[in-house]
Amino acid sequence: MLERSGIPEQAQIDCVFPAEERLEKGPVAVIECFEKIPCNPCAQSCPKSAILPFVDINDRPVIDDELCVGCNACIKKCPGLAIMVVEYSGEKALIKLPHEFKPLPEKGQIVNALNRAGEPVSDAEVVRVIAGKVSVVSIAVDRHLIKTVRGFSFKEKPEIPEKNMGNLELNNTNELDGIVCRCNDLTLGDIRKMISDGYTTIDELKQLARVGMGPCQGRSCIPIILGELSRYLETPIKDLLPTNFRPVVTSVKLSDLAEHDEERTSV
Amino acid sequence: MDFKRGEEIVFTFDGKPVSAFEGETVAVALYAANVRKLATSHDKHRARGIYCAIGNCASCMMIVDGTPNVKTCVEPVRAGMVVESQPDKGKLT
Amino acid sequence: MKNAADIVIIGGGISGVAIGYFLLKYGAKNVVILERDFLGAGATGKCGAGIRQQWGASINCIMTKFSCEFFENAAEELGCGDVDFHQGGYMLLISTEKELEQTKKNIVLQNSLGIESVLLSPQEAGEMVPLLDTSKILAATFHRKDGFLSPFKTTQAFAKAFERLGGTIYKATNVTGIDVTNGRVTAVKTDKGTISTNIVMNAAGGYAQQIAKMVDAKLPLYSERHNILVTEQLERTLSPMLMSFSLNLYMQQAPSGGFIMGRTCANQPRDLRVTADSNFPVEMARTVTNLLPKLGQLRMLRQWAGLYNMSPDKSPVYDEVPETKGFYVAAGYSGHGFMLAPATGQAMAEIILGLSPTLPWDKLGLSRFSSGNLIVEPSVV
Amino acid sequence: MIHTDVLIVGAGPAGLSAAIEIGATGANVILLERSNVAGGQLIKQTHMFFGSEKQYASYRGYEISDILLKEAESMPNVCIKLQATVLAAYDDGTWTADIEGEYTKIKPKVVVVATGAAEKSLPFPGNDLPGVCGAGALQTLMNQYGVKPAENVVMLGAGNIGLIVSYQLLQANVNVLALAEGSQKIGGYLVHASKLRRLGVPIMTGYTVKEALGTTALEAVTLWKIDENWQGIAGSEITFSVDALCIAVGLSPLAELLWQAGCKMLYVPSLGGYVPYRDKSLCTSIENIFIAGDVAGVEEASAAMVEGRLAGLSAIKHLGIDLPNQSATEADYYAQLASLRNGHSGEKILSGLSKATL
């Protein structure tokens, strides 16, 4: 389902697609925006106010497909590139897609038509390219694919190394469970051992193993250690004894300190 | 995205010349020259490279013009700079 | 939590755990240490943990000599791990004629007590510490047995030895009151329960006065904030610990490679605050770079503060308070409590258990402040 | 010692917005930014922004940063300093900074801290290998310096940052082999996720990193499935040959200066970590210190901009300057924030804020 895979269900797609007759009449926008998020540029962008105004910024867009003329204005404005314009044209279906990649295809070029999982489903011909910050590329595919095609890719794909390389014997110098404190090379195992030895506050760990005392001032290690302490003591982090964050945020040269000009009164 | 690159300059890394653009930082220039390992950790001598790229951590520390422990990811590139990898905790010059 | 103990020690810093160890070593039973946060959370964990035997008052020389010898074989005696005693020596830097005069007297006293401190010319000092700008000093003294330890490991070693001898430590336990019935201590109240006892040992360091108030005892002490900073870590280039009274600084290169340095700043708050002082970094940097110019390249990493528990003559107080029977205090170290800890432990064990004193502890009693024979200690930063 | 009306720490969306709000009153503002370019996260965000037109929706991140910067720079009483790191906040009200190598002491009447947030890190074998880095690092390389960050990447984390940075990597024609997310659901906006799926990037929910492999640099990464208490399931390993592993498992506020200044802090997981207590008008437990943006709780840049305005307004009130329709403006900012947080992604923020609001 959408929340797990990022691909909308067929039922969700059907309910944002206009009726077949509308698709015959001419281009119409389809907005695959299935989540209430704070975003309303599509409504503002429509010259025909075919996208009904939002009551609340988190509303999902609703198109009055009688008013919509498929002018692409909203395609360029949608931050999520969730809008495409589709229409039937004889045996074909014309699909106008937002495109933010270089190089742009050329008119007449044959490309792969992709479904919502990025898999090629058929060839497609590029019928029009409108270049811009968000370019709009319209491609023609067989009409029965109007609800399937959602993207395109060039014919020659860059070869991607096949996925499963079990046989990679790399002389792996990895510690067993990863570095927690990068400045002092302390692994998760080191931290867990010290905690189980009875040092159950950040400050004790600091004194014992200088964790959080390096140049990074504990930015990457202290949050992880808090998690470990919280699990070990079965206490929520907010109830743990916090550590102190002392001056200075980034190191400063003693010579810069010594040359400090007390009298300066402007930056 | 178009990038207004500064003019090209050269600095040395462990003796070898590396070209970079004015306005880049040392770590970025080395990254562009396909140098991934920038530092070695003191205790277990593990390879370290760019991690946060904004000066929060300490994984990109090198010797720059003789000064040790310089965070090269926020150190602007200058022509003729001498950048060396730092084998230990660094010495006073 | 126990509801009774023979002796309750308030404070889990270096003094508290040392006193606890020595009490059990000399036969005391059923001793409890109460610590508000964790061991070494107070000044102990904030100090440079130096130890020197170069003093102006003989009692301080004798006590630090005793402590130094204890630290030298603490690993075996306590049997609980190394204390990282780095004996690189202390070098005291002399920059005024008056100070030179006092120092020459001190050396005679120290040598007479078996402390082999030596006077160095600026040039000799420069050979030992190349970083020094020798033009800034008239002379220096050096004693090779001085040095510094790891405050954390030393505290842990004492604490583990104390527990092995049967002592009990309660961390994260806050003392809320002390019961006194007709002039004698009867119990200590905490946020985790009450322990009845007839002997309370006030080893609360900077909070000694607060604890003493609980038995209406007034201590002639005050606690003052002292700032300290550490720099980035470099390879070891400085072995001795440097100190100068006239130039007002002390500095060491810690085992981690960071340079730890501190000084006494003017009008510091006395309200138990241990916040950072906004003028300290500049003052410290100027002091250090004036004396060791090359250290200007060093980057300051962190600044913090701890409490000095100051006594009128800057020498410690070991005594039972006159107002309340069974209430003992060890405080007033005036910034050198860590190095005195073994002596503090020995002193309080002998005083509490009524043993014959190995050192003239009575000279360090509270009565000296009314009788007037103070132990004036000139050499303190 | 430099005396000024207002010190603003951080020239990101929040800091710049606060500078504009306060600058308009003519008060003296010093805005310090540690990076050599203003805009904070904005300059790395090449995607179009969400929110409403008041928060520059549909503009691209770096375009918004230009707009805000120009407006702030147009005010003579607003002094913006780059490569200026605020080092410390002392309890006597002194703040210190390293401004282009010059140690500076500042005594402001009011401070707005807008220091943003930094990436969380994750302990797993090989996590310190060069090539394993935060999402921000790759963005900095790509969008700030125009350097191609890698050939093949695996992304860790399906929050907005993981989704958006993966898309930007594709734009820099880097192969994003997979996006793994430990929890069973995608955290970020689903429209971003759909964009990636359409471009052939598999989103593997319920997977996390088992190990990063390599000697002096990253050469491969092994992912594996995890059960409900995040323990790896042996046998479910999949290895990818990559030269970058991008960590986007959440941000936590950079609140060190607030700790130093003595503000009361609280650990709130849904806001990203330790955040200062604050009142509705974004004033912390110390009356002349205000907060705005991710340091107050990790959210979107749109909210950061509105919080910057609100904190600016509160700072103005603290300075005793009263503006004509102040309460109307304030009400508008509260309304904007409420609407931005009204969706289901806002619930998490609102619950966190309820804990941290005095």
Side-chain angles (χ1 to χ4, degrees), chain D residues 9-10 12-15 39-42 45 49 112-119 161 250-256 258 265 268-276 278 282 291-308 337 341 349 353:
Chain D
V9 189
Q41 286 306 322
L42 284 176
Q45 310 310 347
F49 259 57
V112 177
V113 174
T115 41
E119 261 124 24
I161 291 173
L251 299 172
S252 60
L254 280 166
E256 292 141 81
L258 298 162
M265 307 293 284
V268 182
S270 61
L271 296 179
Y274 277 108
V275 287
R278 80 299 301 270
L282 296 177
I291 46 169
D294 277 4
V295 71
V298 176
E299 261 183 283
E300 295 298 322
S302 336
M305 285 187 264
V306 182
E307 281 193 338
L337 283 174
R341 293 167 176 158
I349 305 283
L353 288 175

Side-chain angles (χ1 to χ4, degrees), chain A residues 238-249:
Chain A
K238 70 177 173 55
D239 300 333
L240 293 177
L241 195 67
T243 182
N244 297 305
F245 289 84
R246 309 208 188 276
V248 283
V249 168

Side-chain angles (χ1 to χ4, degrees), chain A residues 159-161, chain D residues 150-154 174-177 241-245:
Chain A
E159 37 72 36
I160 299 175
Chain D
E151 290 309 321
N152 299 303
V153 171
V154 160
V174 171
N175 302 319
V176 180
L177 305 184
S241 154
V242 288
D243 51 340
L245 171 63

Side-chain angles (χ1 to χ4, degrees), chain A residues 182, chain B residues 31 36 48-52 59, chain D residues 122 124-135 137-138 156 209 211-213 217-221 242-247:
Chain A
R182 299 171 76 100
Chain B
Y31 197 93
R36 292 289 182 269
R48 290 287 163 74
I50 282 190
Y51 177 66
C52 77
S59 304
Chain D
L122 206 61
F124 54 86
N127 64 338
D128 61 331
L129 276 168
V132 178
C133 56
L138 288 188
L156 257 184
V209 59
E211 192 167 17
L213 304 161
L218 180 70
E219 290 158 44
V221 63
V242 288
D243 51 340
L245 171 63
C246 187
I247 313 275

Side-chain angles (χ1 to χ4, degrees), chain A residues 1-8 32-42 44 56-58 75-82 98-102 114-119 133-134 150-152 157-166 168 170-180 182 185 188 216-217 219-221 223-224 226 237-238 240-253 256-257 259-267, chain D residues 1-3 30 32 34 46-53 55 57-58 60 62-63 79 81 85-90 96 98-99 101-106 118-119 121-129 132 152 167 170-171 173 175 177 184-195 197-203 205-206 211-215 219-220 225 237-241 252 254 256-257 259-260 266-267 274 338-345:
Chain A
M1 44 110 164
L2 180 58
E3 290 75 20
R4 278 180 55 80
S5 68
I7 302 175
E32 295 186 12
C33 174
F34 304 107
E35 188 183 19
K36 281 167 70 68
I37 52 174
C39 176
N40 64 8
C42 54
Q44 253 104 26
D56 171 272
I57 189 169
N58 291 283
I75 291 184
K76 301 199 190 85
K77 282 296 175 192
C78 172
L81 304 182
H99 190 69
E100 289 182 324
F101 285 84
K102 285 199 180 100
L114 306 178
N115 62 15
R116 287 176 177 77
E119 293 141 351
K133 261 186 265 175
V134 177
R150 196 57 185 76
F152 70 91
K157 283 262 317 122
E159 37 72 36
I160 299 175
E162 16 76 29
K163 290 208 169 56
N164 202 326
M165 255 84 44
L168 267 182
L170 297 149
N171 56 1
N172 197 326
T173 57
N174 284 333
E175 305 301 315
L176 274 177
D177 40 28
I179 298 284
V180 169
R182 299 171 76 100
D185 267 345
L188 195 58
C216 92
Q217 296 287 329
R219 280 188 201 99
S220 47
C221 50
I224 296 173
L226 283 171
I237 292 177
K238 70 177 173 55
L240 293 177
L241 195 67
T243 182
N244 297 305
F245 289 84
R246 309 208 188 276
V248 283
V249 168
T250 341
S251 52
V252 55
K253 271 196 177 142
D256 290 344
L257 289 168
E259 285 145 19
H260 170 60
D261 169 6
E262 303 284 355
E263 278 72 38
R264 206 152 63 85
T265 57
S266 72
V267 182
Chain D
M1 181 68 85
I2 294 171
H3 292 274
I30 295 177
L32 300 180
R34 71 174 171 184
T46 54
H47 59 285
M48 286 189 283
F49 259 57
F50 289 75
S52 75
E53 74 295 342
Q55 298 106 28
S58 291
R60 293 181 182 276
Y62 57 86
E63 291 164 336
C79 163
K81 282 283 171 188
T85 309
V86 176
L87 297 172
Y90 292 96
T96 59
D98 178 340
I99 301 180
E102 178 121 8
Y103 185 74
T104 313
K105 283 188 186 171
I106 303 170
E119 261 124 24
S121 54
L122 206 61
F124 54 86
N127 64 338
D128 61 331
L129 276 168
V132 178
N152 299 303
Y167 182 76
L170 292 171
Q171 287 182 310
N173 75 61
N175 302 319
L177 305 184
Q184 300 304 329
K185 278 174 63 185
I186 292 167
Y189 292 156
L190 297 176
V191 281
H192 286 317
S194 307
K195 268 198 295 190
R197 291 314 305 270
R198 290 199 295 268
L199 292 160
V201 175
I203 295 181
T205 46
E211 192 167 17
L213 304 161
T215 43
E219 290 158 44
K225 244 175 117 56
E237 289 85 351
I238 300 177
T239 302
F240 296 91
S241 154
S252 60
L254 280 166
E256 292 141 81
L257 286 171
W259 283 102
Q260 286 181 32
L266 175 69
Y267 188 84
Y274 277 108
S339 77
L340 281 173
R341 293 167 176 158
N342 192 341
H344 85 283
S345 63

Side-chain angles (χ1 to χ4, degrees), chain A residues 184 198-201 203-204 207-208 210 213-215 217 241 246-248 250-255 257-260 262, chain C residues 38-40 45-46 152 156 160 171 231 233 256 261 276 281-282 285-286 289 295-304:
Chain A
N184 298 302
Y199 302 108
T200 52
T201 60
D203 284 341
E204 282 172 298
Q207 289 190 354
L208 180 63
R210 301 196 54 73
M213 309 262 271
Q217 296 287 329
L241 195 67
R246 309 208 188 276
V248 283
T250 341
S251 52
V252 55
K253 271 196 177 142
L254 292 185
S255 52
L257 289 168
E259 285 145 19
H260 170 60
E262 303 284 355
Chain C
F38 52 87
L39 300 182
K46 308 270 189 333
F152 191 75
Q156 290 295 324
K160 291 203 169 71
K171 290 197 296 187
T231 70
Q233 300 169 6
S256 70
M261 52 189 84
V282 172
R286 285 195 177 131
T289 49
L295 293 192
Q297 309 161 31
L298 271 177
R299 291 160 202 276
M300 164 179 156
L301 205 54
R302 212 171 26 262
Q303 160 195 8
W304 66 97

Side-chain angles (χ1 to χ4, degrees), chain A residues 2 11 15 31 37 41 51 61 88 124 153 161 193 236-237 251 266:
Chain A
L2 180 58
C15 75
I31 305 181
I37 52 174
I51 303 175
Y88 283 129
S153 67
K193 169 134 189 359
I237 292 177
S251 52
S266 72

